[in-house]
Each structure stands twice: as C-alpha cells, then as structure tokens.
Amino acid sequence: MAGVENTGEAGATGGQEGPEASDGAYECNICLDQARDAVVSMCGHLFCWPCLHTWLETRRNNQVCPVCKAAISRDKVIPLYGRNSSNKDPRNQLPPRPPGQRTEPENQGTTFGGVNFGDTNFHMSFGIGAFPLGFFASTLNFGGERLNPHAGLQPGQQFHADDQMLSKLFLGLGIFCVIWILLA
Amino acid sequence: MFEQQTSGDKGISAFPDGDNLFSWVATISGAANTVYEGIEFKLRMEFSNNYPFSAPTVRFTSPCFHPNVDQQGNICLDILKEKWSASYDVRALLLSIQSLLGEPNNSSPLNVQAADLWSDQSRFRQSVLERCSSCVRQS
C-alpha cells in the first residue's frame, strides 16, 4: 500500500512496472527486505547473512532452510558479490553477539577451608612418609588462619618453612621405615 | 519486517491493532464446501521481539468449534510450534489456519468433542453455528 503511494507521483509512465517486475526476486526470505550481505543456500534460497545466521543460531540442532527445510549450514551457503559490493565474506561479519554474563560465586568464606583441605590431600598423595606431616601441617595452618584470618602472610610463610623442614625429616623417616620393612 | 496483509487473498485479512505493530487483528473466512463456509472468525496475533525467528502467538478471539482449537481459542498447529520457519509471513500463517479449519488433525485433538463429532458433518455444522452465531457473515 505504501509502495503504491510512493510510485503514484513518479510513475505515471510505467514507473510502477519496474519495481513490480523485480519485486521480491532479490529479497531476503527472512526479513523480506532487499538482501544485504547476501548469501544463497545450496537449495537456491537467498538471505541476508545476519538474518540466516540468527536463524541458524536459534536452531543449532536442527539447521534447515527456512523456505524448503533442506539441510543447511554455515559452510553450505555461498556469499554473493555484486559489482560494487565489497569482496569480504559476509560470514566473517557476524552480527554483534550479546556479551557473556558472569556472576560471583556464593559462600566466599568456605572456599578458604576448601583450599586448606586441598593442601592436606596434596601432602597425603606424596606417600606414607609425608602423611603424618600433612596432617600436622594442616593443623598448624588452621591455627594460623584462626589467629590471623585476613592478612596472615608473614606468619603463614614461617609456618610453611617449618613445615618444609619437618616434611623432609618425616620423608626421610618414612623412607627409612620402608627400607627397614623391606629388609626385614 | 512485517508483511502488510493486503486484499490479494480471498477470505483472509490482517492489520495491526492500532499503533502497536506487535499485535495484529486478523480475520479468516471458512473455505467454501467446508462446515465453516460463510463464517468469519477473528483472531489475534501477538509478535515477539524475536519475530520472525520465533512464531507469533495466534489465538481465535471468536468462539471456534474445531478439533484443534480449545475453549480459549488456542490453536494446536505444528507450524506455530516446532515447525515454525522464519520465512513464514502473516499470509502463509493465516492460509495454513484456514486450511486447518477444513482439514483438522483428529488424532491429537484439543477439543475431543469436536473430534468425535467431525464424522457427522451436518451435526458438526450445527455445533459450529450454535457457538458462534454472531460470526455468520452478513451477505
């Protein structure tokens, strides 16, 4: 209806026929406007790439041609380049995507304990010799956290150095015990 | 984006409801040689912001006695649900609903009574008219 009004002034001399003749031939099958960044499917149907991309994104598991339901995918459409259009592949110019969303995890407090328990596991995995120390170290760590839960780096490091020394000691003891058991 | 419904097709029409382009009022006339012949149904079509990538919501606003239309006017039609395609326009939708009127899918009815009565076309026609006497087109 709007089209008839527009051509009414310009086209008493058959100007109406021009647009009518090519009406729809180069229109996108989704937005019904003239196709921009045009691509054509293997089944011959014309789309704007942004339109087709959005359609394919809404049907990731069932990508079919909106017109004839033939199988279709990003790699099975052909970009169309007119004389004055840029030769860039429209498939590389995707419509802007919505940004990802990230929410902070809940229960910040409990993760601290989790880390300490992880430490204990780490020590335990080294073998029999380190086991008693791991238990001991974690106990010490807990003490340190409790005394100075927020900024206990300095004392923590001290504990750590002590731990390492004790760890070596116990490791040596452990190895000695194993060898002794093996020899006996 | 929206294809304006023009008078090119017999028996269907649709226009935006006032200034709201996302809500349309449509009419469908029952096809000739069906129980709905001479009856004009009104429908409302609600388009989401995502149209045409998701189907509009289409409901009968006139009472419609049909196996695939429930008491509230909701329509059970595959292309309004999982078979929707972005290339369907208002005209294609209304023509599909018009042909659904004459060819119901009685195997998955929303209105069981209508599905049972479908085999008796003259009684079915009576039921249609009882429920929607105001829909009969004045000619």
Side-chain angles (χ1 to χ4, degrees):
Chain A
M1 277 161 74
V4 173
E5 282 167 16
N6 287 339
T7 51
E9 293 169 21
T13 59
Q16 235 164 321
E17 274 181 35
E20 290 295 320
S22 65
D23 193 24
Y26 298 102
E27 287 173 3
C28 166
N29 279 289
I30 293 179
C31 69
L32 315 178
D33 279 334
Q34 182 154 9
R36 71 192 159 88
D37 295 336
V39 294
V40 66
S41 62
M42 295 296 235
C43 43
H45 296 114
L46 182 71
F47 305 96
C48 307
W49 171 246
C51 292
L52 186 64
H53 178 259
T54 312
W55 171 248
L56 294 179
E57 283 296 299
T58 59
R59 308 284 154 116
R60 282 188 174 211
N61 301 322
N62 184 25
Q63 298 194 330
V64 294
C65 171
V67 180
C68 70
K69 308 265 160 67
I72 194 173
S73 73
R74 184 189 193 279
D75 302 322
K76 288 192 177 149
V77 296
I78 301 160
L80 295 183
Y81 304 121
R83 192 166 68 90
N84 283 327
S85 68
S86 69
N87 275 2
K88 284 182 192 162
D89 190 334
R91 288 173 294 178
N92 296 330
Q93 306 163 9
L94 300 184
R97 291 181 296 175
Q101 292 182 359
R102 184 179 178 281
T103 49
E104 290 295 330
E106 292 173 18
N107 302 329
Q108 285 277 321
T110 54
T111 52
F112 242 81
V115 169
N116 277 340
F117 282 122
D119 246 10
T120 317
N121 283 337
F122 178 73
H123 279 284
M124 282 169 73
S125 68
F126 266 85
I128 312 164
F131 169 67
L133 178 84
F135 186 72
F136 190 48
S138 72
T139 328
L140 281 177
N141 269 344
F142 271 128
E145 289 323 326
R146 217 178 294 146
L147 285 173
N148 198 351
H150 291 296
L153 271 182
Q154 240 49 342
Q157 275 171 347
Q158 249 177 354
F159 275 120
H160 196 61
D162 287 351
D163 288 350
Q164 278 190 330
M165 206 188 69
L166 280 167
S167 166
K168 280 175 188 160
L169 191 72
F170 276 104
L171 189 66
L173 266 173
I175 291 169
F176 176 75
C177 286
V178 170
I179 292 170
W180 186 64
I181 288 166
L182 282 175
L183 286 176
Chain B
M1 189 165 168
F2 296 98
E3 181 154 292
Q4 175 89 25
Q5 190 63 50
T6 49
S7 53
D9 296 286
K10 263 173 77 178
I12 57 169
S13 69
F15 294 97
D17 188 14
D19 290 338
N20 184 3
L21 273 179
F22 291 90
S23 179
W24 284 40
V25 174
T27 57
I28 294 179
S29 302
N33 302 320
T34 68
V35 287
Y36 300 99
E37 185 174 358
I39 300 174
E40 196 166 74
F41 295 102
K42 285 203 185 311
L43 301 95
R44 178 166 289 278
M45 313 175 83
E46 307 275 356
F47 298 89
S48 70
N49 289 327
N50 205 22
Y51 179 85
F53 301 103
S54 62
T57 311
V58 187
R59 283 181 55 235
F60 277 94
T61 49
S62 345
C64 179
F65 186 72
H66 185 276
N68 305 116
V69 179
D70 71 9
Q71 304 282 333
Q72 285 76 43
N74 300 307
I75 306 164
C76 181
L77 182 59
D78 55 0
I79 63 162
L80 287 173
K81 305 268 160 42
E82 75 279 357
K83 293 275 178 65
W84 170 254
S85 161
S87 68
Y88 292 146
D89 53 18
V90 170
R91 177 177 165 273
L93 258 183
L94 292 181
L95 286 175
S96 298
I97 296 172
Q98 190 184 38
S99 73
L100 177 74
L101 285 178
E103 294 160 28
N105 176 8
N106 283 315
S107 56
S108 64
L110 276 180
N111 184 338
V112 181
Q113 194 196 353
D116 290 342
L117 204 61
W118 181 256
S119 51
D120 188 345
Q121 292 278 288
S122 61
R123 278 182 62 202
F124 194 96
R125 167 105 181 151
Q126 263 181 0
S127 297
V128 171
L129 292 175
E130 277 167 20
R131 279 165 183 78
C132 195
S133 52
S134 61
C135 310
V136 179
R137 209 169 38 200
Q138 312 295 324
S139 56

